[in-house]
Amino acid sequence: TGCGPNSIGLEIVKGLLRGGAKLFVTTSNFDSERIRMFNEIYDRHGAKGSQLILLPFNQGSVQDINALVDYVFTEESDIDFIIPFAAISEVSRDIGSIDSRSELSHRVMLTNLLRLIGAVKTKKE
């Protein structure tokens, strides 16, 4: 998750494609520009046997988490690694000013990451 332009996550995707990995990459911006970007990355970095599957995903949504995990395991695939890079900025907030944006940020970066890991664990059992 979190593979936007010029991100650390995107560099990891490039390296894994060069190594022949099958990747399920998620994006909250599933539009023609993002699809074109990932097509170009695959064309430049994809090696023999590599696959890149781009999926729309909102890590703040429990429904999206469950749908993502169901999709991956329905595709007769498995998950070896989860590399989470989704983030929502909390600049200028302190412990005394937790607001709805702070709650969303924590849900995306912590609570729902744990839900995602738990959903994968359940599928693997």
Side-chain angles (χ1 to χ4, degrees), residues 21-84:
K22 178 178 184 177
L23 304 176
F24 292 90
V25 176
T26 62
T27 181
S28 58
N29 298 320
F30 195 78
D31 56 22
S32 59
E33 182 179 326
R34 190 60 49 104
I35 292 167
R36 187 173 25 262
M37 180 188 85
F38 278 101
N39 278 333
E40 290 172 3
I41 286 168
Y42 183 79
D43 289 344
R44 273 190 232 125
H45 301 281
K48 183 177 182 179
S50 67
Q51 295 179 12
L52 189 146
I53 298 109
L54 184 64
L55 301 165
F57 182 65
N58 173 359
Q59 195 166 319
S61 165
V62 175
Q63 181 179 350
D64 276 14
I65 289 169
N66 293 329
L68 173 64
V69 173
D70 286 345
Y71 178 80
V72 169
F73 283 91
T74 300
E75 289 293 304
E76 297 180 18
S77 294
D78 195 358
I79 296 177
D80 295 318
F81 300 98
I82 298 172
I83 304 174

